[in-house]
């Protein structure tokens, strides 16, 4: 009925699922909605400009999907760290949130404390929207990250206004502001404006329910998740783990450490 924006709807679902700005480990999760980070102008009437919302980040290309299915089939069903799943990393975690927002306090300090007191190697830090999309959708088998709400309303997190010294990348580029797609004309406000328009576009409105099924709905676990190439390590399913029944303190602390470092699946809505 167009009585609520897609942004508001996603925030409402995140809240219902137990996600909160107050917990980096259960921070609100938003989808990548675009796949076009190379064009001079962004055409929101072209379906090819958008990410496939019916598939998780690990299945955005046929080759990547095949590799994750192969991994799933190769791992024996065991109770240890190599449990059967498509992904051993998560689409939302404390370090992902802090890395996106590292140019703003208090996230700068959070990122450093999670990294053991310093910034990461420059090449591994969030420095380009395009390269982050390529890593999470195609190139890096340990990267299936989604986005955070700030990508749709907060231009400030894209600029290094505090002049933090993040170092240089291997090609000599000094790490500063986040590199934006050509269609943003180097303007963080324009990027946020167009990105928000993409989120509220007719294409996303018509396909968003598929992504919601993957993150908050029936494709979270079970046979539907296996079919959708959307299963994660058992430790990520916090509500499925009964820590009270685990007597071994070492195993218990390992599981808690795993969850706090790598993320948690939202509660099923």
């Amino acid at each position: 009925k167009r009585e609520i924006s897609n942004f508001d709807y996603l925030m409402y679902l995140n809240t219902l699922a137990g996600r909160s700005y107050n917990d980096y480990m259960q921070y609100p999760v938003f989808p990548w909605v675009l796949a076009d980070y190379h064009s001079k102008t962004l055409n929101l009437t072209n379906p090819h400009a958008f990410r496939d919302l019916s598939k998780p980040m690990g299945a955005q290309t046929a080759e990547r999907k095949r590799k994750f299915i192969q991994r799933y089939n190769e791992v024996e069903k065991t109770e240890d760290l190599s449990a059967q799943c498509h992904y051993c990393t998560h689409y939302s975690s404390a370090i992902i949130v802090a890395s996106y927002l590292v140019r703003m306090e208090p996230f700068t300090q959070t990122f450093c404390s999670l990294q053991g007191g310093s910034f990461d190697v420059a090449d591994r830090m969030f420095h380009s929207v395009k390269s982050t999309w390529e890593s999470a959708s195609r190139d890096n088998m340990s990267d299936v990250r989604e986005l955070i709400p700030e990508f749709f309303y907060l231009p400030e997190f894209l600029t290094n206004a505090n002049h933090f010294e993040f170092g240089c990348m291997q090609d000599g580029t000094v790490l500063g502001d986040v590199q934006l797609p050509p269609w943003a004309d180097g303007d963080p406000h324009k990027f946020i404006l167009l990105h928000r328009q993409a989120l509220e576009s007719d294409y996303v409105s018509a396909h968003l329910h598929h992504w919601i099924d993957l993150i908050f709905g029936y494709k979270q676990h079970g046979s539907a998740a296996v079919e959708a190439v959307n299963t994660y390590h058992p430790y990520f399913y916090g509500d499925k783990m009964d820590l009270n029944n685990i007597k071994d303190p070492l195993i218990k602390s390992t599981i808690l450490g795993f969850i706090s470092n790598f993320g948690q699946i939202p509660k099923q809505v």
Side-chain angles (χ1 to χ4, degrees):
K1 293 181 180 178
R2 298 182 183 269
E3 290 174 4
I4 185 172
S5 68
N6 290 336
F7 183 91
D8 287 339
Y9 184 47
L10 287 172
M11 284 305 300
Y12 183 66
L13 286 176
N14 269 286
T15 304
L16 284 179
R19 313 297 283 190
S20 166
Y21 282 120
N22 298 321
D23 186 348
Y24 293 158
M25 288 179 283
Q26 297 193 81
Y27 209 75
V29 55
F30 267 59
W32 287 95
V33 292
L34 290 172
D36 182 356
Y37 297 98
H38 53 268
S39 298
K40 282 272 176 30
T41 55
L42 184 61
N43 182 3
L44 295 179
T45 62
N46 178 7
H48 297 296
F50 294 91
R51 166 254 180 107
D52 187 341
L53 287 158
S54 68
K55 295 173 182 168
M57 290 304 291
Q60 288 295 309
T61 69
E63 174 65 10
R64 188 168 155 96
K65 180 180 178 180
R66 184 188 64 76
K67 286 180 180 173
F68 279 121
I69 292 172
Q70 185 181 349
R71 173 194 282 177
Y72 180 89
N73 292 333
E74 283 174 355
V75 178
E76 292 297 319
K77 289 185 179 177
T78 57
E79 292 301 311
D80 65 7
L81 287 170
S82 60
Q84 189 174 36
C85 60
H86 293 109
Y87 314 115
C88 295
T89 54
H90 200 261
Y91 51 76
S92 173
S93 66
I95 193 67
I96 290 171
V97 173
S99 69
Y100 279 146
L101 300 174
V102 70
R103 290 161 179 79
M104 297 169 57
E105 291 289 14
F107 303 98
T108 312
Q109 294 306 315
T110 302
F111 182 85
C112 287
S113 63
L114 288 170
Q115 280 291 124
S118 62
F119 293 123
D120 199 356
V121 176
D123 286 82
R124 286 206 302 257
M125 291 190 65
F126 173 51
H127 65 275
S128 158
V129 178
K130 179 175 179 276
S131 66
T132 304
W133 159 255
E134 289 171 349
S135 170
S137 67
R138 189 185 71 201
D139 298 341
N140 187 345
M141 290 292 283
S142 62
D143 183 2
V144 292
R145 78 183 88 174
E146 292 280 6
L147 299 182
I148 54 175
E150 285 81 353
F151 272 84
F152 300 94
Y153 69 82
L154 190 72
E156 286 78 12
F157 87 97
L158 298 164
T159 59
N160 185 20
N162 292 318
H163 306 294
F164 292 116
E165 293 185 11
F166 298 117
C168 291
M169 294 192 285
Q170 283 184 337
D171 63 4
T173 306
V174 177
L175 204 62
D177 297 346
V178 176
Q179 295 168 14
L180 302 175
W183 46 258
D185 296 327
D187 182 353
H189 289 83
K190 185 172 182 181
F191 171 81
I192 296 292
L193 175 70
L194 292 173
H195 206 214
R196 183 64 172 266
Q197 286 176 358
L199 178 65
E200 304 300 340
S201 67
D202 289 340
Y203 179 90
V204 172
S205 297
H207 295 86
L208 189 58
H209 62 286
H210 295 303
W211 183 82
I212 290 167
D213 287 340
L214 294 167
I215 307 298
F216 302 108
Y218 78 105
K219 290 182 181 176
Q220 258 194 6
H221 48 72
S223 58
V226 175
E227 198 175 320
V229 194
N230 193 45
T231 65
Y232 296 81
H233 195 283
Y235 291 171
F236 295 151
Y237 297 86
D239 54 343
K240 301 278 184 289
M241 298 292 304
D242 190 357
L243 292 171
N244 295 324
N245 288 336
I246 298 171
K247 299 291 182 263
D248 188 326
L250 185 61
I251 294 175
K252 198 169 185 174
S253 67
T254 301
I255 293 172
L256 287 170
F258 204 87
I259 294 167
S260 65
N261 281 315
F262 296 109
Q264 214 171 328
I265 301 286
K267 291 190 186 109
Q268 189 172 4
V269 177

